[in-house]
């Protein structure tokens, strides 16, 4: 995905800073370095961060005259992730590392499981990375699940300007619990002085209903579903009973959570904006029967990206039959929105160090 690649590229300087800190703050380069990429997914971007880490370590070793260390690389995601896709790409990856770096001591393993719990041995990790994952909650906030007796967030899929305080508080509480669990789980797994670099969707304001918190990503999707209700394709109750397991925090929330947990030092928390057009490609197209190329509108390209991210959970709740209609309408709504104003995602980058 272009958006994910853009986010990873934007955080490269912080990635280099963290790896150099691990390499240079020791009297000598560690003989074996444990690295984990959490929420790695599977696809063309999966090994992008790992490749960059290897490049940084290799350049540092060449400059200092040190031997290239053993790298223990763990790729983590939920059990449903297509780890076989990753494994099939490893022979080519290892060959490239050997040819370009002369290194044969890189070991890559897949680690299925939720990063909201323990997944690694004690003191086994020097560096932990996670990109575009921690905004996904471990579950729908308590009280908002599909089987909840009372509909609190009627007609909405996420926090909205019309959402009651109970809905907002439920989302805030769920994120705080999840992020605290994440930090508590990583604390025993990391060595003293280990570094963690996290990037996730967020927002610039303490107000959780602000538009840049991906508010309109979910708001427009709710509008698209409402359009299908008017066409008789979806029932109102289906919308009322769906709440996305997602939360876009602000920097202050992250800082407070880290300080409260107590195992990590906050090196920096930064926010940068990415235009919605970062998720599209200039050559996105579809082939017509007459062999002519019909370029997709910006909205339809954004819809294609969002569909790749959320389709499985939306389809599970609403059914497969409406997916094409839903994201077609959604794309049209995005086009209308982008005509009126520039839309942005806010990405938060968090750099932490494991305390003594």
């Amino acid at each position: 995905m272009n958006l994910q690649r853009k986010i990873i590229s934007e955080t490269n300087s912080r990635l280099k800073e963290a790896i150099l800190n691990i390499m240079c703050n020791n009297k000598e380069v560690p003989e074996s370095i444990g690295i984990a990429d959490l929420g790695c997914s599977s696809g063309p971007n999966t090994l992008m961060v790992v490749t960059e880490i290897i490049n940084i370590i290799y350049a540092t070793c060449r400059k200092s005259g040190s031997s290239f260390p053993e790298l223990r690389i763990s790729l983590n995601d939920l059990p449903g992730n297509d780890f076989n896709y990753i494994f099939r790409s490893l022979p080519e990856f290892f060959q490239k590392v050997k040819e370009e770096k002369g290194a044969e001591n890189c070991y890559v393993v897949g680690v299925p499981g939720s990063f909201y719990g323990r997944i690694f041995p004690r003191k086994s990790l020097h560096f932990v990375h996670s990109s575009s994952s921690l905004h996904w909650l471990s579950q729908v906030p308590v009280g908002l699940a599909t089987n909840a007796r009372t509909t609190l967030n009627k007609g909405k899929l996420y926090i909205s300007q019309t959402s009651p305080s109970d809905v907002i508080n439920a989302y805030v509480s769920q994120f705080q619990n999840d992020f605290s669990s994440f930090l508590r789980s990583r604390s025993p797994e990391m060595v003293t002085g280990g570094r963690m670099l996290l990037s996730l969707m967020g927002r610039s304001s303490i107000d959780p209903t602000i538009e840049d918190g991906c508010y309109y990503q979910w708001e427009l999707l709710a509008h698209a579903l409402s359009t299908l209700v008017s066409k008789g394709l979806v029932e109102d109750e289906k919308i009322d009973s769906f709440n996305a397991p997602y939360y876009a925090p602000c920097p202050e929330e992250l800082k407070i959570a880290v300080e409260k947990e107590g195992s990590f030092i906050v090196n920096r928390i930064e926010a940068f904006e990415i235009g919605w057009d970062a998720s599209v490609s200039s050559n996105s197209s579809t082939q017509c029967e007459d062999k002519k190329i019909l370029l997709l509108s910006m909205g339809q390209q954004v819809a294609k990206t969002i569909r790749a991210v959320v389709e499985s959970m939306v389809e599970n709740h609403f059914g497969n039959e409406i997916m094409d209609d839903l994201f077609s309408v959604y794309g049209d709504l995005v086009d209308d929105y982008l005509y009126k104003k520039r839309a942005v995602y806010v990405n938060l980058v968090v750099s932490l160090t494991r305390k003594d």
Side-chain angles (χ1 to χ4, degrees), residues 37-42 75-84 86 110-117 119 133 136-139 245 312-313:
D37 191 13
L38 309 183
C40 66
S41 190
S42 59
L75 302 177
N76 156 261
D77 212 317
L78 294 173
N81 187 52
D82 188 0
F83 284 98
N84 283 334
I86 302 172
V111 182
S114 170
F115 53 48
Y116 289 123
I119 45 179
S133 295
W136 294 109
L137 302 174
S138 65
Q139 63 178 48
S312 60
M313 75 174 78

Side-chain angles (χ1 to χ4, degrees), residues 140-158 162-168 170-171 235-243 317:
V140 174
V142 176
L144 302 181
T146 302
N147 58 358
R149 294 182 178 180
T150 304
T151 299
L152 296 177
N153 206 22
K154 190 172 179 61
K156 304 298 180 182
L157 309 180
Y158 178 58
T162 62
S163 296
S165 59
D166 286 349
V167 170
I168 296 173
Y171 269 102
E235 298 176 354
D236 271 322
E237 293 76 13
K238 279 285 189 179
I239 302 177
D240 296 342
S241 60
F242 181 91
N243 288 277
H317 186 82

Side-chain angles (χ1 to χ4, degrees), residues 87-121:
F87 297 153
R88 286 193 295 270
S89 69
L90 288 179
E92 181 180 350
F93 171 76
F94 288 138
Q95 184 63 31
K96 187 175 181 181
V97 172
K98 181 180 178 180
E99 291 175 355
E100 295 181 356
K101 311 291 189 297
E104 299 184 68
N105 52 349
C106 293
Y107 305 94
V108 179
V109 298
V111 182
S114 170
F115 53 48
Y116 289 123
R118 285 288 305 276
I119 45 179
F120 299 106

Side-chain angles (χ1 to χ4, degrees), residues 224-225 227-228 231 233 300 307 320-332:
L225 284 164
T227 299
L228 298 191
K231 296 180 178 180
L233 299 176
Q300 293 299 336
R307 180 172 183 170
N320 172 262
E321 300 80 8
I322 69 162
M323 291 299 103
D324 288 344
D325 288 334
L326 172 61
F327 286 100
S328 176
V329 173
Y330 176 73
D332 291 341

Side-chain angles (χ1 to χ4, degrees), residues 166-298:
D166 286 349
V167 170
I168 296 173
N169 292 337
Y171 269 102
V172 171
S173 178
Q174 186 64 52
F175 177 79
Q176 289 174 341
N177 290 339
D178 282 347
F179 192 59
S180 295
S181 294
F182 175 85
L183 296 173
R184 283 196 305 271
S185 298
R186 301 294 79 76
S187 175
E189 297 170 351
M190 297 184 69
V191 301
T192 298
R195 296 293 294 265
M196 186 145 61
L197 185 66
L198 315 172
S199 64
L200 65 156
M201 291 299 181
R203 63 182 195 273
S204 58
S205 168
I206 59 172
D207 179 5
T209 67
I210 192 170
E211 291 183 14
D212 68 10
C214 283
Y215 164 76
Y216 265 100
Q217 173 182 314
W218 298 107
E219 188 76 358
L220 293 181
L221 197 56
H223 286 180
L225 284 164
S226 295
T227 299
L228 298 191
V229 169
S230 67
K231 296 180 178 180
L233 299 176
V234 176
E235 298 176 354
D236 271 322
E237 293 76 13
K238 279 285 189 179
I239 302 177
D240 296 342
S241 60
F242 181 91
N243 288 277
Y246 173 99
Y247 184 73
C250 64
E252 291 81 2
E253 287 175 293
L254 294 173
K255 186 173 187 292
I256 290 171
V258 173
E259 292 175 346
K260 184 177 180 180
E261 192 279 330
S263 298
F264 297 90
I265 298 168
V266 177
N267 301 313
R268 64 177 81 239
I269 299 178
E270 301 169 298
F272 64 89
E273 293 184 350
I274 303 177
W276 279 23
D277 55 358
S279 66
V280 305
S281 171
S282 60
N283 63 359
S284 278
S285 60
T286 183
Q287 188 79 36
C288 297
E289 290 182 0
D290 59 1
K291 305 297 183 180
K292 293 181 180 179
I293 300 298
L294 174 65
L295 294 177
L296 297 173
S297 70
M298 184 69 73

